[in-house]
Amino acid sequence: MHFYRIQSEQKKQDYHHYLQVVGGLSNLFSESTAPYLYYRAAERIFCRAFNAEDLSRGDVAIDAMKNGVGIGLKTFLIGNQKSWQKVAEFNRDRSKYIDLPTLEMVKEVARLRNARINFTIRLYRLKRVIYHCVVRDKGVFHLFEEPMHLVDIENIKLINNNSNSIIFTDGIADYNFSLSKSTLLKRFNTSHYAASFNIDIADDPLSQLSEQMRLTTQLSPKLKSFDTIYLPLYGRNKTVFERSGLNQWNANGRKRDPDEVYIPIPSWIHDKFPDFFPEQDVPFSVRLPSGQRLSCKLCQAGRKALMSNPNVDLGRWILRSVLQLEYDQLVNYSQLQTLGVDSLRLDKIAEGEYQINFSKIESYEEFSDLNRFK
């Protein structure tokens, strides 16, 4: 169940040290006796100390991954050791649940939550998923871990509800669904810790910051520089066309393999990013979130289609491994919406070398708005 406890003592010491360095600068940001820790810094420190893969750029249920373990990272004040923390947001799914009776509403939210956890597990081929929390106390950081359970939908029972929120339990954990914010919160009972250590908050952190620069620079490694584009998994009017793109296998004409797909590339992307892709039919390597690599190339007139070689490899990944569709089952936008994704993010990390991941709903629209007409 635990990730932290099985790490080497040296990695644990590095982790404590990095947290102590950043926590010691708390008076730059807060006057509280509980040390301050920005969640992005917590993510970076965790991945640095434990050589974990940073997934914070992704739109999935976890923030880091190592050795088949997916880790959701959180940092929060200790409070009464029963802290409510946000674990998911469903703004774009509001139409799926808002008109349902209360119990059916939270069951639908639970189904959406489970779908996204399972999607993440499939995408990264994870063996298990956990939460790792840095709990901030007076002069102390506590480390806490627990499994990231699926919601047991069949055992959901309502505890309390009003016009703003619904509190429910599944017998494993308590949840609070905020109707106004469309967010799901989970109660973290943090009475037992994997470790605790003191944080010495500097009285005058600015005068000491120059002395700490070498250490703080070490804990923030240079980020890889990516050129990034986003590609839609749909066509006009948020429709996945029945005979092209992800449903290319269903096209008219010759008999096609049921895993035959391609990713459409809008023509404006070639105009605005002429050096991002190689020329047509020139092979390049694409790394999947699981680490597997596909050989791909651009095909069709105007280089409008990203395909794998052999072509079925891309379809097996998207249709079977990730979406888990049956053969002859069409992809539709509702399926993507349930998972909270409708785009692909493609990062160019070197000439002829790329990595790909799913991206949240409206990622392509946001990317288009920022780049298409500038």
Side-chain angles (χ1 to χ4, degrees):
M1 180 182 78
H2 295 285
F3 175 89
Y4 170 84
R5 287 179 179 169
I6 64 174
Q7 302 306 304
S8 70
E9 288 304 315
Q10 183 59 58
K11 282 182 168 48
K12 291 178 185 177
Q13 289 175 20
D14 289 345
Y15 186 49
H16 296 180
H17 174 67
Y18 296 155
L19 287 172
Q20 286 170 326
V21 169
V22 173
L25 301 175
S26 294
N27 278 340
L28 284 172
F29 317 103
S30 170
E31 296 180 355
S32 171
T33 56
Y36 177 81
L37 181 62
Y38 181 54
Y39 75 98
R40 290 297 188 199
E43 293 167 354
R44 194 73 56 80
I45 289 168
F46 181 93
C47 292
R48 166 74 175 188
F50 296 121
N51 301 120
E53 185 172 351
D54 188 346
L55 303 179
S56 59
R57 294 182 79 234
D59 299 301
V60 291
I62 58 174
D63 304 293
M65 174 180 71
K66 184 176 181 181
N67 296 337
V69 180
I71 304 112
L73 299 169
K74 298 205 166 291
T75 177
F76 49 85
L77 287 167
I78 189 169
N80 62 355
Q81 297 183 315
K82 295 180 180 180
S83 177
W84 289 111
Q85 296 297 317
K86 184 175 107 172
V87 294
E89 184 174 304
F90 301 102
N91 276 323
R92 295 184 177 93
D93 300 284
R94 191 174 178 84
S95 62
K96 291 179 178 288
Y97 58 76
I98 195 60
D99 294 323
L100 297 175
T102 302
L103 181 59
E104 292 307 312
M105 181 186 296
V106 295
K107 285 186 176 182
E108 180 61 23
V109 168
R111 290 186 192 98
L112 292 168
R113 171 62 174 163
N114 289 353
R116 294 181 188 180
I117 293 176
N118 284 325
F119 167 70
T120 301
I121 291 171
R122 296 193 302 270
L123 189 61
Y124 293 98
R125 296 185 179 178
L126 300 174
K127 300 172 186 174
R128 57 195 174 97
V129 285
I130 68 167
Y131 291 108
H132 176 93
C133 308
V134 180
V135 184
R136 294 148 43 212
D137 200 353
K138 183 177 180 181
V140 176
F141 280 157
H142 305 290
L143 305 181
F144 171 80
E145 290 185 343
E146 67 172 40
M148 186 183 293
H149 291 292
L150 297 174
V151 183
D152 187 349
I153 297 173
E154 296 304 315
N155 287 315
I156 286 178
K157 294 181 180 179
L158 299 179
I159 296 175
N160 189 26
N161 68 282
N162 54 46
S163 59
N164 293 320
S165 65
I166 306 169
I167 299 175
F168 64 96
T169 184
D170 67 348
I172 302 171
D174 295 340
Y175 296 91
N176 186 341
F177 182 60
S178 170
L179 292 165
S180 58
K181 298 181 179 179
S182 299
T183 55
L184 182 66
L185 292 83
K186 178 188 172 300
R187 192 194 300 275
F188 286 86
N189 296 304
T190 58
S191 56
H192 301 289
Y193 302 112
S196 299
F197 47 93
N198 293 330
I199 303 297
D200 184 13
I201 299 176
D203 292 330
D204 186 8
L206 283 175
S207 66
Q208 298 182 31
L209 191 56
S210 60
E211 299 176 15
Q212 296 288 344
M213 281 300 292
R214 180 178 61 85
L215 295 174
T216 54
T217 299
Q218 287 179 355
L219 68 87
S220 297
K222 290 183 179 179
L223 293 175
K224 292 181 179 178
S225 179
F226 295 115
D227 290 328
T228 299
I229 66 167
Y230 292 82
L231 300 176
L233 292 173
Y234 54 88
R236 292 184 297 275
N237 301 319
K238 293 288 181 77
T239 299
V240 181
F241 296 132
E242 291 188 6
R243 302 189 186 279
S244 62
L246 296 185
N247 293 318
Q248 172 71 3
W249 57 269
N250 192 46
N252 293 323
R254 65 173 174 83
K255 182 174 176 58
R256 298 176 185 270
D257 190 285
D259 288 326
E260 187 174 338
V261 303
Y262 69 87
I263 306 302
I265 304 174
S267 59
W268 72 266
I269 287 181
H270 292 310
D271 295 335
K272 293 293 184 179
F273 302 93
D275 300 322
F276 187 85
F277 287 110
E279 292 302 312
Q280 186 163 329
D281 293 325
V282 175
F284 53 92
S285 175
V286 175
R287 182 181 182 270
L288 305 183
S290 64
Q292 177 188 358
R293 292 183 180 274
L294 300 183
S295 176
C296 294
K297 59 184 179 179
L298 301 190
C299 303
Q300 299 186 16
R303 300 190 298 162
K304 69 178 183 180
L306 190 161
M307 294 182 175
S308 62
N309 183 24
N311 179 252
V312 295
D313 285 354
L314 189 59
R316 286 172 184 161
W317 174 56
I318 296 176
L319 303 182
R320 313 300 164 218
S321 297
V322 178
L323 298 182
Q324 290 198 318
L325 299 179
E326 299 293 335
Y327 288 106
D328 297 329
Q329 183 179 358
L330 291 170
V331 181
N332 59 57
Y333 189 80
S334 179
Q335 294 161 347
L336 300 175
Q337 189 178 30
T338 294
L339 300 176
V341 299
D342 69 1
S343 311
L344 287 177
R345 189 187 78 237
L346 198 63
D347 300 315
K348 183 177 183 179
I349 57 179
E351 287 301 325
E353 192 171 345
Y354 302 77
Q355 58 188 37
I356 199 168
N357 211 327
F358 285 84
S359 194
K360 67 182 180 180
I361 290 172
E362 295 186 5
S363 292
Y364 169 73
E365 281 94 338
E366 293 169 3
F367 173 71
S368 177
D369 289 346
L370 285 172
N371 295 279
R372 187 171 185 175
F373 301 109
K374 72 176 183 180

